[in-house]
Amino acid sequence: MKKIAIFASGTGTNFEAIAQAIDQKQLDAQIVLVVVDKKNAPVIEKAQSKDIQTFVFCAKDYPSKEAYERDIVKACHQQDVEWIVLAGYMRILSDVLLTAYTNRIINIHPSLLPAFKGKDAIGQAIDYGVKVMGVSIHYVDASLDGGKIIAQRAFEVEKHWTHQEIEAQIHAIEHVLYPETLKQLWEEQK
Ligand code: GRF
C-alpha cells in the first residue's frame, strides 16, 4: 500500500475522486497528508471530514519557496509519505521537494500537454478554437507543467458546448483517469 500526500489549492474534486477510489478498494493507497497553500480552500474541510492530516501554509509567511518546502518535506517525512500527488496545486516546485521525492511527484493538467501549459488551460484552448481537448498526467519537474507524460485522455469538443460544459467533461475524465493511472503506475513498479 502506498502512502501518499495530495497537494491542492482549491476545490479538491480530484482529491475526492482519489479518496473514493481508495475507499472502494480500487486503489491500494492511503492518503496520509493533504498539503494546501490557501487558508480557505474547500479541500481542507474535505480532508478533515475524512480525518486526514492537513498541512496548511501561507507562502507569504516564509522568506522563500525553499523555506516553506522544507516544512512540507518535514510534514511528509513525519507521515512516511512515499508519493506526492498534485491535484490543483498552483505552485511550481523547487529543488527541495523535487530532490526529496525524485520521480515520485505526479501532476494532473487539464490540457493535452505540451499544449496550453499554466493557468486557465481550458480557457486558453477554447480561445484557440481547438476541436480536441483532454487531460494529461505527468511527472513533475522544475518547469511549468513539464515532465514526462504518463497518461492522456482526449475528447472531441461539441460545437454547442459552453465553457462550463467543457469544464465538466474535463473533470469527469480527470476523476476516472487519475485513480486509474496511479493504480497502473504503482502496479508496474511492484
Ligand atoms: C483540475 O482541473 C486539475 O487538472 C488542475 O486543477 C484542477 C483542480 O480541480 N490542475 P480540483 O481542485 O481537484 O477540483
Side-chain angles (χ1 to χ4, degrees):
M1 188 188 58
K2 299 282 186 233
K3 289 192 174 185
I4 66 172
I6 293 189
F7 287 27
S9 301
T11 322
T13 61
N14 280 284
F15 157 78
E16 281 180 304
I18 294 167
Q20 194 185 28
I22 292 171
D23 289 346
Q24 294 175 348
K25 311 235 179 290
Q26 289 157 10
L27 190 58
D28 189 20
Q30 187 189 358
I31 305 169
V32 291
L33 183 67
V34 172
V35 173
V36 188
D37 65 333
K38 291 216 168 60
K39 292 223 150 79
N40 298 315
V43 68
I44 299 169
E45 220 176 277
K46 288 177 180 164
Q48 286 168 347
S49 75
K50 291 185 158 295
D51 285 329
I52 297 171
Q53 182 94 25
T54 56
F55 177 84
V56 182
F57 72 99
C58 181
K60 285 192 190 131
D61 296 342
Y62 290 86
S64 64
K65 186 186 286 279
E66 286 75 12
Y68 67 70
E69 285 196 354
R70 273 193 287 275
D71 272 4
I72 295 175
V73 169
K74 215 183 288 173
C76 286
H77 285 163
Q78 274 166 4
Q79 300 299 322
D80 295 326
V81 168
E82 297 165 275
W83 283 77
I84 293 175
V85 175
L86 308 186
Y89 180 70
M90 303 298 283
R91 290 177 183 277
I92 293 180
L93 305 189
S94 84
D95 266 359
V96 172
L97 267 163
L98 291 170
T99 54
Y101 283 91
T102 309
N103 292 328
R104 285 179 295 146
I105 309 179
I106 312 291
N107 184 40
I108 189 162
H109 185 73
S111 79
L112 293 172
L113 288 171
F116 310 122
K117 296 180 175 185
K119 281 189 187 150
D120 192 22
I122 300 173
Q124 291 182 53
I126 292 172
D127 288 348
Y128 219 90
V130 300
K131 307 300 176 216
V132 176
M133 290 176 70
V135 169
S136 305
I137 293 171
H138 63 97
Y139 286 104
V140 174
D141 62 17
S143 65
L144 175 68
D145 298 318
K148 199 165 180 222
I149 293 166
I150 304 166
Q152 288 185 311
R153 195 155 292 168
F155 64 93
E156 282 185 28
V157 183
E158 302 280 339
K159 260 203 180 103
H160 56 89
W161 280 358
T162 62
H163 189 297
Q164 221 179 348
E165 285 169 320
I166 293 172
E167 205 169 283
Q169 176 70 11
I170 293 262
H171 272 123
I173 291 172
E174 288 185 339
H175 299 162
V176 174
L177 188 64
Y178 219 174
E180 257 180 37
T181 304
L182 294 172
K183 182 182 160 77
Q184 203 177 337
L185 186 71
W186 294 332
E187 273 175 2
E188 277 166 12
Q189 293 191 338
K190 270 182 190 165

